[in-house]
Amino acid sequence: MNLLLLRRLSWRRAIACSYSDQNRTYGSSSTGRRGGCEPRYKQQQQQQQQRRQQQWDYEPYSSTNSRPQRRRIDKPPRVQLRRPGQQHTYLVSCHPGLEQVTAVELQQPGLEAAQGVEVIAPGRVAFSSDSLAGGYAAALCLRSATRVLHLVHEEDLNPNRAAGDTVYEATREGAPWQQLLQPGQTLGVHCMHFYNNSNVSNSQLVARRVRDAVCDSVRDARGVRPAPPEGPPDLPLVFQLLDDRLQLFRDLGGGSLHRRGYRSGAVVHKAALNEAAAAGLLLLAGWHELCHQEGVVLADPMCGSCTLLIEAALIATATAPGLLRKQWPFEAWHDHDKQVQAEWRGVRQAAQQRARQGAADWRARGGQLLGNDLH
């Protein structure tokens, strides 16, 4: 047995040593010729190149340190979010498949300020409002949404220039960052969507250039760059770069809205159902209508961490999911002035009143929520 193992090892070494760096031989001979697999390999390369040329339209651009520009022939038209005549434009993200649910939610009581609701792409719904309170109400009341974003700037990038330079210039000149980022506040940059761009394939590069543009603009205005955040940033900035169109947003929730606040300090399973997805499934199933029936019962025999039942209770009692959150990042923004504070206070009070009335109606109907599981 030992002799057989030694022979096998010697064969492997002989095969490995037959490759010569000088002659570039691949175990065939010492004349420098390759084996018989080379013609087939070249044929496969030619076929792949032909298929790529049929699918993609190559247009080289003037840059020496980037890859060739690559554009899909069937590329959809660019989506412009800015609405003419509207002061504030918002983008709502949700799970793909729940766009219509989110659009219907934007027409419910408490969200009357939302105008021009439109599903613009899978997982994205846009609307506009005449006041900031319209976006605040959406962040407070939407159940199936994961983010509510306030559009700050959008611009088409030049595909014939280096992507880092165009992103930097568009961001720096796109908004008054010295006003949006007050002294002592911190900045956070997050990428939401990144797809089908000409000469940039790394979202981290775009995030770095966006951050540098904002920090350099603030430094030129005040002489000091913003400090890095140690916790949640004061100005959570979200960008998406789709089809060479850069869009910058302020995140009204400072993160995903599925973090309602009722699990703070609790141990959550790593595979727990997302709260926004659970609420969207309940709305798709018509629970918001069934819960108004007398003596209605919703049972979940494998409830896990009770995500479905908790979201069902919030829907049945007309409790806005954002009421459980203790703090919102927009409360520290420069444009959250006294008038906006009063409007925000009115939005919260109206939501609290609907929740109190909804809880009383649920008790009067005698509804029940039942759950069971083994841990």
Side-chain angles (χ1 to χ4, degrees):
M1 180 64 69
N2 294 334
L3 181 60
L4 181 60
L5 291 175
L6 289 175
R7 285 181 179 178
R8 289 184 177 178
L9 290 175
S10 62
W11 292 341
R12 292 178 181 176
R13 290 177 182 175
I15 293 173
C17 292
S18 64
Y19 173 79
S20 172
D21 291 336
Q22 298 177 355
N23 297 326
R24 288 293 181 185
T25 61
Y26 292 82
S28 57
S29 65
S30 59
T31 59
R33 298 179 180 178
R34 298 191 181 186
C37 296
E38 183 181 3
R40 179 185 297 179
Y41 178 72
K42 286 187 176 181
Q43 184 179 4
Q44 292 177 353
Q45 276 190 331
Q46 292 176 357
Q47 293 176 355
Q48 292 177 0
Q49 183 70 15
Q50 291 176 358
R51 287 195 296 266
R52 283 197 295 265
Q53 288 179 356
Q54 293 175 359
Q55 182 179 7
W56 299 92
D57 180 22
Y58 284 88
E59 298 177 1
Y61 62 95
S62 57
S63 179
T64 58
N65 57 352
S66 302
R67 300 189 307 176
Q69 175 179 336
R70 195 167 67 172
R71 283 290 190 87
R72 288 194 65 90
I73 298 176
D74 57 345
K75 191 181 73 169
R78 296 172 176 174
V79 177
Q80 184 175 359
L81 288 180
R82 185 75 67 183
R83 310 292 179 85
Q86 295 293 337
Q87 187 174 1
H88 303 283
T89 303
Y90 298 93
L91 179 67
V92 180
S93 65
C94 61
H95 291 85
L98 298 179
E99 301 87 1
Q100 295 298 332
V101 174
T102 305
V104 172
E105 277 194 271
L106 284 168
Q107 303 172 4
Q108 299 300 315
L111 296 172
E112 294 83 1
Q115 304 173 7
V117 179
E118 179 184 5
V119 177
I120 60 173
R124 283 172 286 172
V125 181
F127 73 96
S128 56
S129 177
D130 294 331
S131 65
L132 289 171
Y136 298 169
L140 179 72
C141 300
L142 288 179
R143 305 181 187 276
S144 59
T146 54
R147 291 180 186 271
V148 177
L149 308 173
H150 179 225
L151 181 63
V152 175
H153 179 67
E154 64 176 340
E155 182 175 337
D156 292 331
L157 303 182
N158 186 356
N160 298 319
R161 296 184 56 197
D165 296 338
T166 56
V167 170
Y168 181 90
E169 295 172 1
T171 303
R172 179 160 182 167
E173 304 297 332
W177 300 112
Q178 65 275 9
Q179 298 179 8
L180 296 177
L181 197 62
Q182 293 295 300
Q185 291 185 342
T186 57
L187 171 71
V189 180
H190 173 75
C191 175
M192 185 174 66
H193 292 102
F194 186 88
Y195 177 72
N196 202 24
N197 301 294
S198 296
N199 57 359
V200 58
S201 58
N202 191 342
S203 61
Q204 294 182 357
L205 168 65
V206 180
R208 189 179 303 113
R209 298 302 287 165
V210 168
R211 181 195 61 194
D212 292 343
V214 176
C215 292
D216 291 348
S217 177
V218 174
R219 180 198 58 192
D220 293 346
R222 301 187 191 135
V224 179
R225 286 174 62 91
E230 298 180 356
D234 298 310
L235 180 61
L237 198 64
V238 176
F239 75 89
Q240 64 178 12
L241 186 57
L242 303 174
D243 302 324
D244 296 326
R245 179 183 288 271
L246 177 66
Q247 295 171 335
L248 302 172
F249 306 90
R250 293 188 298 178
D251 192 349
L252 299 185
S256 180
L257 295 176
H258 81 276
R259 301 184 181 93
R260 311 295 200 201
Y262 55 75
R263 295 195 189 279
S264 59
V267 178
V268 182
H269 193 273
K270 60 182 179 181
L273 180 61
N274 183 281
E275 287 79 0
L281 292 175
L282 288 168
L283 294 174
L284 278 175
W287 172 246
H288 59 293
E289 298 176 353
L290 296 173
C291 65
H292 294 290
Q293 299 178 4
E294 295 290 337
V296 65
V297 177
L298 176 62
D300 188 357
M302 296 179 291
C303 62
S305 56
C306 296
T307 303
L308 274 173
L309 295 177
I310 296 175
E311 294 297 324
L314 295 178
I315 295 174
T317 58
T319 301
L323 286 177
L324 303 177
R325 298 187 55 158
K326 298 180 179 179
Q327 189 176 5
W328 297 85
F330 55 76
E331 294 177 337
W333 292 350
H334 80 287
D335 48 3
H336 192 71
D337 52 19
K338 293 183 178 180
Q339 180 180 355
V340 178
Q341 290 177 12
E343 295 177 356
W344 169 236
R345 195 179 306 112
V347 169
R348 285 185 59 88
Q349 291 175 356
Q352 293 170 353
Q353 178 61 31
R354 289 193 300 270
R356 286 191 292 266
Q357 185 63 39
D361 295 341
W362 171 255
R363 288 192 296 266
R365 290 192 297 268
Q368 297 185 39
L369 300 174
L370 306 178
N372 179 67
D373 210 329
L374 294 177
H375 295 278

